[in-house]
């Protein structure tokens, strides 16, 4: 199909983008990679009167380490994330997650900020962002604010972001003992089930655990029951296997579609939780 008519504008700075977004009075949409927005426009499920292009804003691009944390600009592409020497050395789970997204064309155009803002229930980043307990920096005309990943994802395609705000960056603490594992949808590479796990261990004991889930439920969530089953236990394969066994048991409102049934997804949550935890444990 053909989208409805719209005006195209290219922002010259982050402040300029905010002014244009505010002036659109709710009828504007931000354009970065466009992989989520353009198909919706073609189907006329989204009909913005104005597109504001922010893909070329240097303020929103780049990966750098500052004060012990790694900042990833919202307009940084999946390819840039996947091939970042800094992330591969200091927080490999983020780069590895990006490398699983779509295909080469998608990774060269799609952005981390766009993916998080769209919050597709089968997107990959949300699970990893949750497992890393990341901070999402959001800017608006009234200033900036920071939202924890656990408070950002609120429901199906729903996040803690107003129509007049822009995701500026994602901030993560360097973490080696973390891994992402997913069951691919073969054509799109979206996650039918994707699990990210991050562990902290001391003296052979797991002192902290964070496990994020995507693909199985209407929005990304933390697997609190698995986390609780890990903390205080020996950092062994037996421990992670036991914790992963019941990973999907308490989940409600699981997705059910042409790719996988509710019960199949429930079973696969346990399988991929185990794989992610094994990967994190191997790095601990």
């Amino acid at each position: 199909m053909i989208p409805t008519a719209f005006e195209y504008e290219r922002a010259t700075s982050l402040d300029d983008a905010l002014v244009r977004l505010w002036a659109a009075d709710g009828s504007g949409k931000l354009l970065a990679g466009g992989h989520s927005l353009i198909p919706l426009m073609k189907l006329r499920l989204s009909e913005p009167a104005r597109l504001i292009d922010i893909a070329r804003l240097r303020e929103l691009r780049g990966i750098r380490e500052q004060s012990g944390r790694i900042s990833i600009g919202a307009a940084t592409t999946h390819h840039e994330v996947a091939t970042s020497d800094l992330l591969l050395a200091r927080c490999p789970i983020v780069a590895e997650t990006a490398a699983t997204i779509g295909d080469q064309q998608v990774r060269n155009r799609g952005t981390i900020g766009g993916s998080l803002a769209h919050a597709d229930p089968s997107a990959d980043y949300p699970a990893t962002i949750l497992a890393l307990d990341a901070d999402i920096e959001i800017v608006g005309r009234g200033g900036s604010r920071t939202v924890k990943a656990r408070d950002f994802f609120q429901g199906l395609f729903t996040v803690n972001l107003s129509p007049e705000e822009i995701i500026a960056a994602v901030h993560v603490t360097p973490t080696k003992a973390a891994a992402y594992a997913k069951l691919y949808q073969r054509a799109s590479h979206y996650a039918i089930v994707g699990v990210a796990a991050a562990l902290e261990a001391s003296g052979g004991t797991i002192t902290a655990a964070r496990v994020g889930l995507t693909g199985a439920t209407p929005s990304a969530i933390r697997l609190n029951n698995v986390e609780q089953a890990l903390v205080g236990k020996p950092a062994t394969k037996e421990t992670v296997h036991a914790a992963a066994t019941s990973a999907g048991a308490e989940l409600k409102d699981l997705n059910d579609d042409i790719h996988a049934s509710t019960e199949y997804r429930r079973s696969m949550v346990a399988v991929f939780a185990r794989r992610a935890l094994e990967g994190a444990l191997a790095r601990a």
Side-chain angles (χ1 to χ4, degrees), residues 73-190:
T76 305
T77 66
H78 308 320
H79 172 74
E80 290 167 336
V81 174
T83 58
S84 166
D85 290 336
L86 175 59
L87 287 171
L88 287 167
R90 302 278 283 143
C91 201
I93 184 177
V94 182
E96 292 165 359
T97 300
T100 73
I101 296 173
D103 53 27
Q104 186 173 350
Q105 290 88 344
V106 169
R107 292 192 293 274
N108 276 321
R109 293 291 298 175
T111 65
I112 186 170
S115 176
L116 294 177
H118 185 58
D120 190 290
S122 296
D124 296 288
Y125 282 127
T128 292
I129 296 303
L130 284 169
L132 293 175
D133 198 26
D135 291 319
I136 299 172
E137 181 184 346
I138 297 169
V139 295
R141 293 198 72 189
S144 64
R145 63 188 179 99
T146 300
V147 179
K148 299 297 292 187
R150 60 178 176 268
D151 299 320
F152 184 73
F153 303 104
Q154 298 180 331
L156 181 65
F157 297 110
T158 305
V159 295
N160 186 350
L161 184 72
S162 78
E164 290 79 29
E165 291 181 316
I166 300 174
I167 297 176
V170 178
H171 306 286
V172 300
T173 300
T175 305
K176 286 285 189 68
Y180 179 60
K182 78 169 178 177
L183 174 61
Y184 288 83
Q185 197 284 323
R186 288 184 178 272
S188 67
H189 273 210
Y190 271 116

